[in-house]
Amino acid sequence: MANQYSSLKIFHHKDILDAMENNQRFAPLYIRMKPTNLCNHHCQYCSYGSGIVENQTAVRDSVHRTDMIPWPKMQEILADIGSMGVKALTFSGGGEPLTYPHILEAVRLVKEQGIDLALISNGQLLTGDIASEFYHAKWVRISFDSPNEAEYMALRNVSAHAFRTVIRNIREFAAKKDKNCVLGINFVVSKANYNRSYEAAELLKNLGVDNVKFSALIDNKPNYHKDIKDKVISLLKKAQLELASEGFKIINSYEKEWQDVNFVKQPFPKCYACRFLTVIAADQKVYTCFPKAYDSKAVLGDLTNKRFKDMWFSDETTKKLDSLVPSRDCQNLCVYSERNQ
């Protein structure tokens, strides 16, 4: 089964590697698009502060819940990325991307330009015409953090109807999607749900998903996972042994992420990944990476009064990328660390 989490995919793009070696600018290969900050769930651990504001990741200092990319600007951005040769785009949050009022039209524009499409969602609105537009996506990832209805409701501050709807939508999407569309689940392990890790994997396998990724909640204080890590690791190893199969993959990111990686300086003198992976957020700003989205210190450009293609190739953006020194500037979880290695 293809691994959409692989850090080695850049080796399919020798032209990009050659351009980086020669210090040349090029269009991003991949864009994470956050069309809106509005969300229909309010998760306790939300790093954007939609749930408990105190759990907002420390670097996110400019999140405004009502921000949304205006439809004319969205059309302009999508036209630019199509003409620039961007290969792939993922709609994500911010908020819940499927609450964006023009999501259907936006998805169709992406597909018309031959850009690979992906989605990160809570899954509650993944139904009807919206779901069918994603049946042929490269991948869809749904955040789902408890197989227990009451626990799910408490974690996300939603109703029992929301839980049942998400379960139904996962099952239906798994049954109807194209076989080449990878349906994955991201399960964020916290003190509230860690005992459900095996149970969740079992349920999700029965629902027909292709994989489930177990991630560690990134807290603003160290040692959060100290008292639960051994139990979680034991449950995940049991799940790997008893549930993993050719058609169902368990991705254990927890064992690496629990170790307070959010408090470690990155060792790299240069970030290569942010040159071919970038983020366009609901505030119409472009950020170096998605862990630093809505960090005022990580803004590459503002699209409010500028086209994306002009901003991306500007001297100002080049200078900002060149001045970024991860070993000095990035004391946070780096999802690009393996790519940079």
Side-chain angles (χ1 to χ4, degrees), residues 265-313:
K265 286 271 190 183
Q266 298 305 314
F268 311 107
K270 186 173 185 177
C271 181
Y272 293 96
C274 66
R275 285 160 165 76
F276 61 87
L277 309 166
T278 199
V279 176
I280 302 175
D283 57 4
Q284 303 181 65
K285 293 176 182 175
V286 181
Y287 292 89
T288 54
C289 59
F290 58 88
K292 284 179 170 283
Y294 304 103
D295 177 352
S296 58
K297 298 185 184 72
V299 176
L300 287 177
D302 190 333
L303 304 183
T304 306
N305 297 303
K306 185 179 289 188
R307 295 192 72 112
F308 176 66
K309 61 183 178 183
D310 295 333
M311 169 258 138
W312 183 257
F313 290 113

Side-chain angles (χ1 to χ4, degrees), residues 22 50 116 138 143 154 194 205 211 242 260 263 274 306:
N22 295 318
S50 182
D116 287 344
K138 276 288 183 179
S143 54
Y194 73 96
K205 181 177 183 177
N211 66 62
E242 299 179 4
D260 293 332
F263 302 92
C274 66
K306 185 179 289 188

Side-chain angles (χ1 to χ4, degrees), residues 57-155:
T57 301
V59 298
R60 304 198 202 278
D61 59 5
S62 61
V63 184
H64 300 288
R65 301 254 51 89
T66 57
D67 278 348
M68 181 183 300
I69 299 176
W71 177 231
K73 175 58 70 171
M74 176 67 79
Q75 291 172 283
E76 177 191 284
I77 294 170
L78 295 180
D80 277 357
I81 68 174
S83 67
M84 293 164 68
V86 172
K87 303 297 185 185
L89 181 145
T90 297
F91 285 109
S92 71
E96 165 53 48
L98 299 185
T99 66
Y100 185 63
H102 304 284
I103 190 63
L104 276 175
E105 300 99 309
V107 166
R108 288 166 182 161
L109 279 176
V110 171
K111 292 162 78 173
E112 284 172 10
Q113 297 181 78
I115 299 169
D116 287 344
L117 177 69
L119 172 70
I120 299 173
S121 168
N122 61 43
Q124 188 175 345
L125 300 177
L126 190 63
T127 187
D129 289 343
I130 291 177
S132 65
E133 287 293 337
F134 285 97
Y135 287 160
H136 304 287
K138 276 288 183 179
W139 53 268
V140 169
R141 186 160 77 239
I142 295 173
S143 54
F144 180 86
D145 33 49
S146 181
N148 176 274
E149 183 177 288
E151 191 172 271
Y152 183 95
M153 291 166 60
L155 276 165

Side-chain angles (χ1 to χ4, degrees), residues 29 210 212 277:
L29 279 171
D210 296 303
V212 54
L277 309 166

Side-chain angles (χ1 to χ4, degrees), residues 10 49 84 116 131 159 201 223 230 248 262 294 315 340:
I10 185 61
M84 293 164 68
D116 287 344
S159 67
N223 300 316
D230 291 341
F248 178 67
N262 205 36
Y294 304 103
D315 290 341
N340 279 324

Side-chain angles (χ1 to χ4, degrees), residues 24-82:
Q24 298 170 342
R25 290 302 311 281
F26 47 86
L29 279 171
Y30 169 70
I31 291 175
R32 182 75 73 90
M33 177 77 76
K34 302 176 181 294
T36 178
N37 286 340
L38 293 173
C39 194
N40 54 342
H41 287 204
H42 304 286
C43 305
Q44 290 182 12
Y45 58 82
C46 180
S47 70
Y48 297 94
S50 182
I52 301 173
V53 174
E54 290 77 10
N55 279 358
Q56 178 176 307
T57 301
V59 298
R60 304 198 202 278
D61 59 5
S62 61
V63 184
H64 300 288
R65 301 254 51 89
T66 57
D67 278 348
M68 181 183 300
I69 299 176
W71 177 231
K73 175 58 70 171
M74 176 67 79
Q75 291 172 283
E76 177 191 284
I77 294 170
L78 295 180
D80 277 357
I81 68 174

